[in-house]
Amino acid sequence: MKRRLVSLMCMVSMMAAMLSGCGGRPGGEGPKEASKPGREESRESKAQPTEEGTSEEAEAGSGDLEYVELKWDALSYQPDNIKDLDLIQAALDEYFKEKLNCRVVLNPMTIGAYLENVPTKLMSGEEMDLITVNSDVPYNNYANMGAFFPIDTLWDEYGSDVKSLFGEGVWESLKVGGHIYGVPVLKDNCYIIGYIYNKTLAEELGLDMEQGWAGFAGMEEYLTEAVRLRNERFPEYAHMPLMMDGGEICPYWVALERFGAGEFAVCNIPGKEVARELGTDKVFNYFETDAFREACLAKQRLVQTGVLAYDTDVFETNLLAEPSTLLIASWGYTWIDEHLFGENYDAKLVVFDDVWTDGGNYTGAMTAIGANSKNPERAMMAIELFNTDPYLATLMRFGVEGEHWEKDADGEMQLANRNADVANVGWLQWYGPFYGNLTIVDAPESYGGPDGIMLQKMAEYNDEAILAAHMGFVLDTTPIENELSACNNVVSEYYGNLVGGRHGSPEAVDRMIDEMNAKLKENGLERILTEVQAQIDAWAEGK
């Protein structure tokens, strides 16, 4: 979903150890959070033998279980940082043998290998146990095809703690044909949008970067004046962009409830309406709204004034680290180190008010069980352990204590030994959105902030997030698959240049938007809108 710029931002921020994770459940109670002492106790329990040589917890949890082997086809968040997979597997083997009398064979894949193998396995009905599910293997589609095992038939007996991770509204939103087929990762489950700004440059220019703007659209005049001031004070910066944009209108500039039918079939988010006259239950084409047109026109003006770059690929330097960059659009950050992007400037984070969420924040990173798994019960137990056990949550992100990290004299966690050189680590998967609950991870301060403030803030944002109006709705795209494909092709032809501000004049922007919308109608847009609206209406009547 995020294009090249966002990928670059993610890569740099991961290396700087600052991408976000979160906890909490929208519209309900916060997550069951383990205190620092509780987390220490969880890790230490595995190493406390009884007189018989096994822990009491292990005897109670695995003594009557027959030994089985499970395989986890996992998507690796940072595939270059898994050199010590053998050490991670050995630690998993020891822990799961003790806890569940089983082995979980971790198979981390690059996105290329994942796309090549996982969809084929699912569609062929191959035996699979644990499976990473993300937007490239759409949860709803594969659940509808019967590729996954219904976990809600298992969790009362084999995974009851999983149910408490999220509120009822979230679980309802994950039902397909009356059942739930995957467990979302508890992390940043809402759109936390804002910007990271160059505090050093702002002070040099006398700029107040914390005026309480509601979003980027309201900052255009201010940023236009800011780039003038910068270029006047530092003429050597004149050829450099002032701002690094996220590359997407939604969620960076606007809030939209999307249903897997593109931005040409959306609804308003309560309190953040882009087409207020339509309310929150009317399905509409965002590309036809005045809000989209004005956003594209604003982007075009910002490119013309030098606030945004026409093409970031022409710069050989890392723009995120350049002292000429005043601000960077951010998604998911709740705390940052002041040198997040290097030593050239001090950085500071601002998050816009009224964070929001929709169903996609839960289906984008999940764990499912294959429909033909021979051991779905044990797989459910494994999923619960990955989502409730701090030792495993930490192991999957930072590796093995003593091998990849250590505690210093103050008891604080530090990367060490095989992870001492962050440019050549043995195992580092921060923030690991595919490896289960993030909110219970122990992390070095440079990653999670002082006293884990990053995860605490994520929990708060999750709890405060505005819920989309149709959290329980799951779109069946089957009746409109051909139209969706055709309309997506149309959008891909125009979208990048429009939201990148690359057209030479406002007239060109207007002409391209009109042309795109005309082609959308020619390719079945009205049928898509009618079908999505009908399904939403039927869903609402059945509530």
Side-chain angles (χ1 to χ4, degrees), residues 60-93:
S62 64
D64 297 329
L65 296 174
E66 179 183 353
Y67 178 79
V68 300
E69 290 199 2
L70 306 171
K71 187 174 182 180
W72 187 358
D73 288 298
L75 178 58
S76 177
Y77 194 54
Q78 293 171 276
D80 293 334
N81 294 353
I82 60 171
K83 300 179 185 69
D84 290 343
L85 175 60
D86 57 336
L87 296 178
I88 303 302
Q89 186 63 62
L92 288 173
D93 289 350

Side-chain angles (χ1 to χ4, degrees), residues 130 146 153 177 203 223 240 252 354 415 424 481 487 491 493:
L130 305 181
T153 65
E203 290 177 351
L223 294 175
M240 304 291 282
Y252 283 103
D354 300 328
L415 296 186
N424 185 29
E481 285 180 350
C487 285
V491 171
E493 180 182 350

Side-chain angles (χ1 to χ4, degrees), residues 101-180:
N101 196 28
C102 74
R103 185 175 191 233
V104 177
V105 180
L106 181 63
N107 179 30
M109 290 179 274
T110 65
I111 184 62
Y114 176 82
L115 290 174
E116 182 178 351
N117 290 283
V118 171
T120 301
K121 288 182 177 181
L122 289 172
M123 294 186 71
S124 66
E126 184 174 329
E127 180 188 344
M128 303 177 75
D129 297 308
L130 305 181
I131 308 161
T132 291
V133 178
N134 78 335
S135 56
D136 295 304
V137 177
Y139 166 75
N140 294 339
N141 292 359
Y142 283 87
N144 268 316
M145 289 190 294
F148 305 137
F149 196 97
I151 64 167
D152 55 346
T153 65
L154 299 171
W155 62 11
D156 283 335
E157 185 171 357
Y158 303 104
S160 58
D161 284 345
V162 166
K163 296 170 65 176
S164 66
L165 293 175
F166 302 100
E168 189 62 29
V170 172
W171 290 121
E172 281 294 319
S173 74
L174 297 174
K175 284 188 175 180
V176 178
H179 286 290
I180 297 166

Side-chain angles (χ1 to χ4, degrees), residues 355-429:
V355 299
W356 57 284
T357 192
D358 60 15
N361 273 310
Y362 300 92
T363 58
M366 308 178 75
T367 308
I369 300 171
N372 294 319
S373 171
K374 292 181 180 178
N375 299 286
E377 297 85 2
R378 200 71 61 86
M380 184 72 246
M381 295 168 72
I383 288 176
E384 175 163 74
L385 208 57
F386 276 114
N387 281 280
T388 59
D389 190 296
Y391 169 78
L392 283 177
T394 303
L395 171 71
M396 297 302 294
R397 273 78 176 189
F398 294 105
V400 180
E401 183 174 9
E403 297 284 356
H404 301 102
W405 57 271
E406 295 176 345
K407 290 294 184 73
D408 63 18
D410 297 323
E412 296 297 323
M413 183 177 177
Q414 304 289 341
L415 296 186
N417 302 324
R418 294 173 179 269
N419 279 353
D421 180 3
V422 294
N424 185 29
V425 297
W427 182 277
L428 184 61
Q429 292 287 295

Side-chain angles (χ1 to χ4, degrees), residues 214 254-256 268-276 353-356 466:
V254 297
L256 298 169
N268 281 313
I269 298 294
K272 300 180 74 69
E273 294 87 349
V274 299
R276 192 174 300 274
D353 291 338
D354 300 328
V355 299
W356 57 284
I466 298 170

